[in-house]
Amino acid sequence: MTKPARNILQIGFGNFGPTHLAAWRSLGLADGLHVVDPSDQARQRCRDLGLPEDRVGASPEGFLDRADLVVVLAPTDRHFEVCQPLMGSGKPLFIEKPMTATLEEAEGLADLRGDQTVQVGFYFRAHPLAQRVKAEVDSGVLGDLRYISARFHGFKRARGDSGVVGNDAVHFIDQANWMMGALPKAVDAVTRDHFGRGYDDLALIRLFYPSGALAHIEVGCIQPGRWNDNIVPGSTQTKEFVVAGSEGAAEIDYQTSELRLHRVHHELVDGLWRPNNRGVEMPHGAIVEPHDVVAGEFAAFLDAVDGKAPVLAGIEECGVGMARVLDAVHRSAASEQRVAL
Ligand SMILES: NC(=O)c1ccc[n+]([C@@H]2O[C@H](COP(=O)([O-])OP(=O)(O)OC[C@H]3O[C@@H](n4cnc5c(N)ncnc54)[C@H](O)[C@@H]3O)[C@@H](O)[C@H]2O)c1
């Protein structure tokens, strides 16, 4: 359904900027899009992609008053300073993940928040394959969830604004929390900083959920990825997410848009626990394009702004709650101990 036009202010237009632009275009709302970025190069790229001169600027002044909603796509370590003056402004805010670089910043933003919709950019909550698996989980078809295993790694630039925990693991931690319907009660993590830049480039994370279920997440930019990345040119990626329950399992390969639903449970036969395998379904046929997923996030954001739906990834769970989990991951890695939340 077509959404009514609005003035959108996007703050930051780096690598992910063109995907956001394509998403607004696919929703038919790009005519209301204004972009600000301090980088000449970023602003030129924006113009090259068709934004008119009067809708591109270096800073929010002059654009903010007219904005009906704001999207923050600046580097993660700038999110707090960019968002702080917007909290309490009443303007709906979409903040790319992770909401902030630290727990203190996340709590600071939450304290300043007024009566405004805030959505964190947890992309996979709008991904059709993840949504299908979430529906399987919620319907009970997979039974009791026991284990989530996820891998998000490949050769790519080591970002200047965060490590692989804040940039990549955060996606699959959120997805695991979403599937489990809870935040973990404890985490155990090992990280490495091979480049000595103060950020992790490899992380192995275990999450312990209140139900007793576990998740294991491997992320890194120093080990191979199986496929070429569809967002950052020249990078490789493996992005796999597996959910195992007592009555079945789901395997998602995000790079190939493949979903396998295993209808299987173990049963005791002749004294041995054997799998009773009732078959595998591959219900999804189409390649999922990143800008379509982002368009889904934006559509959900607009529905929340219009009061038609709850926020897809809200500030309490996905901003502050996630910051608590990430903080525990870093404390666990530093202390080499399991950390309770
Ligand atoms: N949801 C996802 O799947 C996804 C994917 C990629 C990136 N991200 C997130 O989006 C954010 C941006 O990522 P990116 O890869 O585009 O980063 P990037 O480093 O490529 O680009 C950031 C841009 O922000 C600009 N900038 C810096 N300070 C600014 C400020 N104060 N105000 C406005 N603009 C400013 C820079 O000039 C640059 O053009 C990060 O938080 C990242 O974690 C999310």
Side-chain angles (χ1 to χ4, degrees):
M1 196 177 70
T2 315
K3 306 262 179 209
R6 7 207 148 190
N7 273 328
I8 303 152
L9 175 60
Q10 180 170 316
I11 301 183
F13 196 84
N15 264 297
F16 207 34
T19 307
H20 274 227
L21 172 59
W24 289 119
R25 283 194 168 133
S26 78
L27 291 173
L29 294 174
D31 286 348
L33 182 65
H34 302 69
V35 173
V36 296
D37 193 304
S39 149
D40 293 342
Q41 201 188 358
R43 293 199 301 280
Q44 189 51 48
R45 191 158 164 230
C46 211
R47 292 184 205 102
D48 292 346
L49 287 168
L51 253 79
E53 186 66 45
D54 64 344
R55 289 201 270 125
V56 181
S59 72
E61 290 75 44
F63 292 96
L64 200 50
D65 287 352
R66 286 179 282 141
D68 298 315
L69 48 99
V70 181
V71 177
V72 177
L73 193 53
T76 298
D77 57 2
R78 305 265 77 87
H79 285 189
F80 180 76
E81 70 188 44
V82 169
C83 294
Q84 193 183 22
L86 300 170
M87 288 292 172
S89 68
K91 306 236 183 232
L93 263 182
F94 180 102
I95 310 172
E96 263 304 344
K97 51 47 65 175
M99 184 173 82
T100 54
T102 66
L103 173 57
E104 197 186 0
E105 290 177 351
E107 289 173 338
L109 288 189
D111 285 347
L112 292 170
R113 181 185 172 208
D115 182 19
Q116 64 196 130
T117 302
V118 179
Q119 182 172 321
V120 185
F122 279 115
Y123 174 94
F124 290 102
R125 289 195 182 215
H127 196 293
L129 300 186
Q131 289 182 335
R132 173 65 197 257
V133 174
K134 175 68 174 159
E136 295 273 318
V137 170
D138 288 350
S139 71
V141 183
L142 298 186
D144 296 330
L145 295 198
R146 292 172 166 168
Y147 179 53
I148 286 176
S149 150
R151 303 197 298 143
F152 193 141
H153 53 74
F155 298 133
K156 60 179 176 176
R157 72 185 165 139
R159 295 177 66 101
D161 59 349
S162 72
V164 291
V165 170
N167 193 53
D168 300 330
V170 69
H171 276 300
F172 282 178
I173 294 173
D174 178 66
Q175 214 177 303
N177 297 346
W178 187 47
M179 296 293 169
M180 297 285 186
L183 292 175
K185 62 176 187 159
V187 309
D188 174 278
V190 182
T191 62
R192 291 288 182 268
D193 173 11
H194 296 97
F195 308 134
R197 70 199 165 108
Y199 288 126
D200 40 80
D201 47 55
L202 174 71
L204 311 173
I205 300 168
R206 289 191 299 170
L207 307 170
F208 301 81
Y209 287 92
S211 66
L214 299 169
H216 179 264
I217 297 172
E218 176 190 351
V219 290
C221 60
I222 56 151
Q223 67 269 58
R226 179 127 193 222
W227 310 100
N228 289 330
D229 190 35
N230 49 6
I231 295 180
V232 184
S235 303
T236 65
Q237 284 284 19
T238 289
K239 282 186 205 163
E240 295 169 359
F241 191 87
V242 179
V243 182
S246 55
E247 296 298 325
E251 285 184 90
I252 304 174
D253 185 332
Y254 285 112
Q255 292 302 100
T256 57
S257 302
E258 281 175 348
L259 169 61
R260 283 168 207 269
L261 296 172
H262 300 264
R263 309 301 183 192
V264 60
H265 67 275
H266 278 73
E267 54 192 29
L268 193 58
V269 180
D270 298 333
L272 289 178
W273 286 92
R274 303 169 196 269
N276 175 340
N277 204 327
R278 304 182 302 283
V280 184
E281 293 166 31
M282 291 185 69
H284 196 86
I287 298 290
V288 181
E289 296 293 346
H291 71 267
D292 288 330
V293 180
V294 177
E297 286 185 276
F298 289 163
F301 177 52
L302 297 176
D303 281 346
V305 169
D306 294 343
K308 294 182 186 159
V311 183
L312 186 68
I315 188 168
E316 292 83 10
E317 178 191 350
C318 298
V320 179
M322 176 56 72
R324 285 203 183 104
V325 178
L326 297 184
D327 183 67
V329 165
H330 293 303
R331 284 190 288 124
S332 171
S335 64
E336 300 187 353
Q337 303 279 333
R338 190 184 295 182
V339 169
L341 273 116

